Amino acid sequence: MSKPPQIAADPLWFPDAHDANSHTVRLSRVSRKALAEEAFLDDRWDRAGAAQVAHPVSDFASLVAPKRAPRFIWHTAFCGSTLLARCLDKPGSNLSLKEPDVLMSLANMKRTQGPQALQRELGPVLALLARPFVRREQVTIKPSNTVNNLMGDVVALLPDARHLLLYSDLRAFLLSITKKGEPGRAFARQLFTIFAMDGHPIAQTPPRELLKLTDLQIAALVWHMQVASLLAASRNGGAGQIASLDGDRFLHAPEPALKAVDAFLGLGLGADQIRLIVSGPIFGRDSKDPAKAYSAEHRAREAEQTAAAIGPALDATIEWSYGLFPASPRAGGMPHPLLAN
């Protein structure tokens, strides 16, 4: 079995799981290509046949993060974050890691054991994730939206990192939830229970009152909870450390959006690479399942059909929710926008 120092120096050993009870991290030996291609580096990722080792996180306490601090894409659900991460991946320039399960475990550990539990484990885990495969390659990490409760901790721990807030507006989020049918409604309620553990005031609502709410109303609350978490964490960032991007603007005008993201994150992709990406097949496929055809136009048609099916309840729910959260941003209103409104 490899010793921790040898593993720490070899990015092929990827931290793919974390045990919050034993405070150990499991590492699987995988290729850069495998990491880049996976839409979700969580329990949906098939690691059959990969060599694996487990070590206490404390074995990596002395691991120093790379000189080039990692970049982060924090996001709300259904805003194009997986597509964006795919667009930014270029061997030698940037490796995009999409929704590592190891961060989900740390996020849940914070919820169940308190913030102090992170103090000895977040740093080593981030240092393991941020190891480049080649010199000068950047690493960009896109955590799951249920990991947004770690953003403030990461901002404080890595002052040289940069953070992009990618989001959909409330209307787009509700349409995405609704078009998925019963699984979408169940997902929204699941998200509510997770974000309630982060201390959002709406979680104090008596269960009897919550049970009176429609699925659409619960989904609206979930959007406001996600945005509140991102806004609270972003207030701790310094100038030039945090920027925001509307997911719909990215989907409908990808070239200027990608140029702005490339410049802000300092990835060095360049205009020629971005033109190749935009003109290539990636925007015609489902980013989570590249075997399926999909596009911004397809998404827009689905949204129109879903809005028509919901009817007046859509706008009514949006206005009802802003009555509860008047300080939440409207469309395009997140702070530090990369593109002028």
Side-chain angles (χ1 to χ4, degrees):
M1 180 181 294
S2 299
K3 296 180 180 179
Q6 295 172 308
I7 291 174
D10 186 354
L12 289 171
W13 287 102
F14 181 76
D16 71 333
H18 170 265
D19 190 310
N21 295 317
S22 62
H23 302 286
T24 58
V25 61
R26 186 183 72 192
L27 301 101
S28 293
R29 191 167 177 81
V30 296
S31 68
R32 185 203 185 283
K33 183 174 184 289
L35 293 175
E37 289 181 349
E38 286 296 323
F40 304 103
L41 296 170
D42 56 16
D43 55 6
R44 289 166 284 190
W45 175 24
D46 183 7
R47 286 155 297 219
Q52 296 181 333
V53 295
H55 287 284
V57 178
S58 58
D59 283 354
F60 302 99
S62 61
L63 180 62
V64 177
K67 291 183 179 179
R68 300 193 70 184
R71 278 35 180 153
F72 292 87
I73 300 172
W74 307 93
H75 58 97
T76 60
F78 311 129
C79 64
S81 62
T82 302
L83 175 60
L84 176 61
R86 285 196 186 279
C87 289
L88 299 179
D89 191 275
K90 179 186 177 184
S93 295
N94 177 64
L95 168 63
S96 291
L97 301 175
K98 299 175 284 296
E99 310 205 2
D101 188 69
V102 66
L103 291 181
M104 171 62 78
S105 178
L106 291 179
N108 288 334
M109 185 175 73
K110 179 180 180 180
R111 292 180 175 114
T112 58
Q113 300 181 24
Q116 69 284 350
L118 289 175
Q119 292 180 0
R120 296 184 179 180
E121 305 206 19
L122 181 59
V125 166
L126 289 175
L128 285 169
L129 288 171
R131 294 169 299 169
F133 276 74
V134 296
R135 188 169 175 264
R136 296 183 178 178
E137 185 176 54
Q138 187 68 65
V139 175
T140 296
I141 302 169
K142 183 188 83 78
S144 164
N145 67 310
T146 51
V147 177
N148 287 347
N149 66 324
L150 295 185
M151 181 181 167
D153 302 285
V154 175
V155 169
L157 184 65
L158 301 176
D160 293 330
R162 291 187 180 183
H163 308 267
L164 178 67
L165 310 183
L166 186 70
Y167 65 97
S168 66
D169 64 29
L170 176 53
R171 183 184 179 86
F173 177 74
L174 294 180
L175 292 174
S176 293
I177 287 288
T178 302
K179 76 179 182 182
K180 296 181 184 301
E182 190 64 20
R185 292 188 285 271
F187 179 63
R189 290 186 177 273
Q190 180 186 10
L191 288 180
F192 183 92
T193 64
I194 293 172
F195 298 145
M197 297 177 70
D198 295 331
H200 193 284
I202 200 67
Q204 303 302 317
T205 304
R208 285 174 59 88
E209 296 302 314
L210 289 174
L211 287 171
K212 295 177 183 178
L213 299 180
T214 67
D215 292 319
L216 203 62
Q217 287 175 317
I218 289 291
L221 296 183
V222 164
W223 183 86
H224 287 282
M225 294 166 85
Q226 290 181 94
V227 170
S229 175
L230 293 177
L231 289 176
S234 69
R235 295 186 189 105
N236 298 322
Q241 193 177 9
I242 294 171
S244 67
L245 177 64
D246 185 317
D248 279 334
R249 295 197 67 180
F250 160 57
L251 293 173
H252 291 287
E255 188 167 345
L258 286 172
K259 287 180 179 178
V261 172
D262 183 31
F264 171 69
L265 297 181
L267 305 182
L269 299 180
D272 290 342
Q273 172 68 11
I274 289 172
R275 277 193 292 271
L276 285 174
I277 293 169
V278 172
S279 62
I282 192 169
F283 281 90
R285 314 303 301 176
D286 187 322
S287 61
K288 295 180 175 62
D289 184 0
K292 296 180 180 179
Y294 201 64
S295 66
E297 292 76 14
H298 187 182
R299 177 186 171 109
R301 286 196 301 271
E302 285 186 335
E304 290 178 3
Q305 294 166 359
T306 303
I310 298 173
L314 177 60
D315 289 333
T317 299
I318 291 173
E319 293 311 309
W320 166 84
S321 72
Y322 274 103
L324 295 175
F325 301 102
S328 285
R330 297 275 181 167
M334 290 285 277
H336 313 300
L338 277 181
L339 300 175
N341 293 324

